[in-house]
Amino acid sequence: MNEFISSIVASLLATIIAAIFAFFFRKKLGSLVKRWLISVFDMGTYNIFSNDTDDEYLNDLKEELIKAKFIHMFAGRGRFLFEEPYRTILEKQNIEIKILLPDVKNDYDIDWIETALDKIAPHESFRKQVSASVEYILSLCKKSSKIMLREYHALAVGRITITDYVAYFQPYTKDFSDKSPIYKYKSGSFMYMWAVRYFDSYWEPKHIDVVGVSENNT
C-alpha cells in the first residue's frame, strides 16, 4: 500500500512539473520533456494525460487497443464504453474482452453507491447510467462469446483499462468525474501489476469477501 501511495504521489508531482514545461515548450517538444520528467520522477509511469478528452490520450489509447491481444476494463458508470475508441473496439475486435461494472441492485447491507455519493438524486442517475452500460454490453455478449461481463459490489477507485502491453488508470473523484488525470503504465511495472491484481480480485471474487458477482455472457 505504501508503494502504491508513493507511486501516485510521484505521478502527481510529475504531472505538475510536466504541465509547467509543456506550457513553455512547443507541443512536440513539450511531450518529449514530459516523458523524460515522468521517467525521472516515477519509473513505473510511462505517460500522464490531463483527462479523457485529451487528444494525445485518445490517439494513444486507440493505438494500444487496436494492437491489444486482450482488454480488461474496470469501470464506474461505463459511459466511455459508448464512445470512441472503445465502441469500435467492442463491436469489431475479435479478442478477449472482460468488463467489470457496478452491481446497482440496492439489496445489500451497505450500498457503496450511497456511500460514495452525497445526494439522493445522483444515486438514481448513476444507477440508470450503469444499467444502460450493462444493457449495451449484454447485447454485445450475445453476439460474441469473447466479450464477458461481470458485476461487482464495492467502492470503485477509478477507471482501469488493461491490455497485454499497458494499463491506463484514471482515479475517480468523489462524484466519479471523468476529468481527473490518466496514468499509463507499461507491462511489468509495479502499477501495471497492481492494476492486473486489482481487476483479477474483482473478476474472481473468491479472493475477497466484499464483492458480489454475476457473470453475463453466452
Side-chain angles (χ1 to χ4, degrees):
M1 179 59 71
N2 289 335
E3 291 179 342
F4 170 68
I5 294 174
S6 298
S7 182
I8 290 297
V9 170
S11 296
L12 290 173
L13 179 60
T15 302
I16 295 171
I17 297 176
I20 294 173
F21 270 81
F23 178 79
F24 289 104
F25 289 90
R26 302 185 64 154
K27 186 173 182 180
K28 187 172 182 180
L29 181 58
S31 180
L32 293 174
V33 172
K34 181 180 74 170
R35 185 74 58 80
W36 176 80
L37 284 168
I38 291 169
S39 67
V40 170
F41 283 92
D42 183 2
M43 294 302 292
T45 305
Y46 185 63
N47 210 338
I48 303 173
F49 307 98
S50 58
N51 56 57
D52 63 357
T53 61
D54 184 341
D55 288 338
E56 183 186 1
Y57 161 69
L58 292 174
N59 291 331
D60 186 90
L61 176 65
K62 181 179 180 179
E63 291 178 3
E64 294 292 355
L65 295 183
I66 288 175
K67 69 180 182 182
K69 295 179 180 178
F70 69 81
I71 302 172
H72 297 168
M73 291 176 277
F74 182 100
R77 291 183 176 91
R79 291 184 300 185
F80 67 92
L81 298 170
F82 294 90
E83 302 169 355
E84 297 298 343
Y86 287 99
R87 189 178 187 98
T88 296
I89 296 297
L90 284 166
E91 296 181 357
K92 295 185 178 181
Q93 289 288 85
N94 187 29
I95 58 174
E96 175 191 277
I97 299 178
K98 294 181 178 179
I99 301 168
L100 279 163
L101 286 168
D103 183 349
V104 295
K105 296 188 295 293
N106 191 9
D107 55 1
Y108 298 95
D109 292 336
I110 298 177
D111 189 333
W112 73 267
I113 296 177
E114 292 187 3
T115 301
L117 300 173
D118 289 333
K119 299 178 181 179
I120 297 298
H123 298 173
E124 294 309 313
S125 174
F126 185 93
R127 294 179 201 279
K128 289 179 180 179
Q129 290 172 11
V130 174
S131 296
S133 298
V134 169
E135 184 178 349
Y136 170 58
I137 298 303
L138 283 178
S139 69
L140 297 177
C141 290
K142 295 177 181 178
K143 299 176 182 178
S144 172
S145 61
K146 292 188 175 183
I147 298 178
M148 293 163 277
L149 170 68
R150 289 188 180 183
E151 298 172 326
Y152 64 88
H153 179 69
L155 183 64
V157 298
R159 180 200 300 179
I160 301 172
T161 300
I162 304 168
T163 76
D164 43 318
Y165 294 105
V166 299
Y168 295 91
F169 174 54
Q170 183 180 32
Y172 284 143
T173 58
K174 191 172 181 60
D175 62 351
F176 293 89
S177 170
D178 295 333
K179 301 308 177 185
S180 56
I182 300 169
Y183 302 90
K184 180 182 181 181
Y185 305 103
K186 277 186 174 181
S187 172
S189 67
F190 171 80
M191 287 301 294
Y192 177 91
M193 292 186 288
W194 169 84
V196 170
R197 184 176 181 182
Y198 186 85
F199 181 91
D200 288 347
S201 68
Y202 282 80
W203 191 262
E204 302 292 345
K206 62 184 178 181
H207 298 298
I208 50 179
D209 296 330
V210 296
V211 177
V213 65
S214 62
E215 183 170 6
N216 302 285
N217 64 300
T218 58

